[in-house]
Each structure stands twice: as structure tokens, then as C-alpha cells.
Amino acid sequence: MSLQRKINDVDVRLLRIFKAVAECGGFSAAETELNIARSTISTHMADLEARLGLILCRRGRSGFALTDDGKQVYQACLQLLSALEGFRSQISALHNQLSGELKILCSDAILGDKENFLLTEVLRRFAEQAPDVEISIATEVLPEIERALLAGRADIGFIPCHRELGSVSYLPLYKEQYQLYCGKEHALFNTSSEDINAELIKQQRFVHPGIQTNPQASQVINKLQRRATAYHYEARLALLQTGLYIGYFPEYYANELVAKGELKKLAAERFHYHANIAACFKHNSGNKALSVFCQHLKEAYNLAE
């Protein structure tokens, strides 16, 4: 009877036992190799012969020997098991292989924070592990980063988190403090901090960031008198340097300008807010390179699994 049905796991197991018996030269010798009793081996061999409809070996006073059919089945068995091992190795390699492209978008609002934004460190670790992955990095405004993620034009974005989209995962990395400032030409620059109260701040012309902000930021910003809009820090700084406006900057950006006497921090205790800087990416993207990159992010920021 020929083997008409599909080969299943039981057939493969029996063929492995047959291979060991053939290579050991008998049932007794195969006991140690297989770590199963001779009687069990005999039962398995009888089962395999019944499944194949062939006599595979003969035992007797003259010893153990494969039949002609048994020799051919042994050769076919070697081919089958070799193919299975090759398949297993290829699938294993796919799990470990990292190739393709990783598209990263960064908000320019965080790139300058060399102390807290550890992108360089993460990129170094990732590139060492995945040298065949092509890395693409660009800066974009926050709304465009969100659109690019949703449309599949980016794999991961780094943003000041102001809301959470349903199909996007967020990995909070650190908090960034924002303070209110004026330029050196502004009337409040030389005003004593004790004389700068909330009412005075609310009377000043304010540069709005031009994007939706997180609830804490909105609660503070909505109290101010919006008279200009500038998303990019350089444009916002130009407005403050006119001496006519006040506006927000993250402390990392403004500290050097404050030290140079170009900016002054206003009402730090009453008009500050913070933003969570986060990595964001689509749920279940299936991108192995992205998964490895995120793992390096977690390690760099000591984030628990």
C-alpha cells in the first residue's frame, strides 16, 4: 500500500526512530541512542511499516539488516529530515535577521536637548546590532509626525506628547519643563520679579505655539493674550527679540540665552508647565527592526518591561 495521505507529526517521529535504528544497526543498539525500551522501538517500527505498507528491516540469527525498501526509505528519510531542519533554520534566521529601513521622525522641539534626548546613544547601539538596516531620520512638526505614523510614512516618532491616538502606542521617555520668557528689549526684562504678578503677565502680548497642547499646558496658555503664533523656536525667539512679546521655551533651549542676558524667565512658579517626551509608533506594526530599536530605547532610559 503506497502512502497516499499527508505526512504528519507522528510519521516524522517514527521516521526519526527508524533513522536511529538504521544507523545504530539494530533495536538493541538504538535503545541507548533513543532512550526508549527495545519493545517500544519494536512497536514503533511495526507501526511505521504498517503506515508505509513496506517491510523496512529483518531481524534473525544472522543479525539486523535493512531490506531493499528499507534502504530506499532510509535515504528518503535523510532527505526529509534534512529539509525539515533547513526549514527550521531558515525560519530561525528570519527571526534574527534585521534588514530593510527604519524611518524616524523627530520633533525639532526636542533635538537640542543633549542631556535628556538620548537618540545618539540609541542609534549607536541599534546600528551595531543591525548594520543592514537603513536608517532614515528627518525633523517635522508635531502634527505631521502623527500623520506620517498613521499613513505608514514613518515607523517611529519622537514628540512632546499632547494627546494619544487610538492606533498609536506611546513610550514616555522623560519630562521636559517649559517656562515663560521675555527678551531683553521687553519692558518686563528689567522689572523686579517681585513686581511681576499674574495680572501683569496676562496683559502682555503672547506668542502661541500654534499647536494643540497637553491639558496642563492649555490651562496655563489659555490665560494669556494671544497676539502672535510661531511653532519653531527660532521664529518664536525672533518675536521675543522685538521686545513686544512673551513666549514659552523648554528650559534646555532657553538656559544659554538666559545666561547671555538675551532672555529672562517670567513668573516661573505660576506659569510653567511640562510635557512628556515620548516615542510613538503604530500598534503591532510587525517591524522587527522597530522592535529592536524600541528595546534599545527602553534600556537607554532604564524603562521596565
Side-chain angles (χ1 to χ4, degrees), residues 54-164:
L54 298 169
I55 301 300
L56 302 178
C57 60
R58 300 190 186 281
R59 292 184 295 163
R61 293 180 180 179
S62 58
F64 172 88
L66 293 177
T67 64
D68 290 341
D69 287 339
K71 292 175 182 177
Q72 293 188 55
V73 170
Y74 173 70
Q75 293 301 320
C77 177
L78 292 181
Q79 294 177 24
L80 173 63
L81 296 179
S82 176
L84 288 172
E85 179 59 25
F87 176 80
R88 186 200 65 77
S89 297
Q90 288 184 35
I91 297 303
S92 178
L94 285 176
H95 283 286
N96 296 320
Q97 177 184 347
L98 291 171
S99 59
E101 183 180 11
L102 183 66
K103 299 182 287 293
I104 303 170
L105 288 181
C106 296
S107 167
D108 59 347
I110 62 178
L111 273 177
D113 191 348
K114 306 301 182 184
E115 180 179 353
N116 295 307
F117 190 42
L118 307 180
L119 181 61
T120 299
E121 178 183 344
V122 175
L123 286 172
R124 182 185 298 112
R125 295 181 184 181
F126 175 77
E128 288 174 349
Q129 181 176 350
D132 294 330
V133 174
E134 181 181 346
I135 300 172
S136 169
I137 304 179
T139 59
E140 269 296 355
V141 297
L142 193 156
E144 177 55 31
I145 292 176
E146 292 179 328
R147 286 192 289 266
L149 285 172
L150 294 175
R153 299 193 306 273
D155 298 307
I156 186 169
F158 292 94
I159 63 172
C161 192
H162 64 109
R163 62 176 177 176
E164 293 193 1

Side-chain angles (χ1 to χ4, degrees), residues 177-194:
Q177 191 79 6
Y178 287 76
Q179 298 283 1
L180 190 60
Y181 297 89
C182 71
K184 65 180 180 180
E185 302 298 330
H186 196 279
L188 295 182
F189 190 86
N190 293 314
T191 302
S192 170
S193 297
E194 290 77 14

Side-chain angles (χ1 to χ4, degrees), residues 8 26 33 138 142-143 152 224 272 283:
N8 60 31
E33 176 74 15
L142 193 156
L224 304 177
H272 72 277
H283 294 321

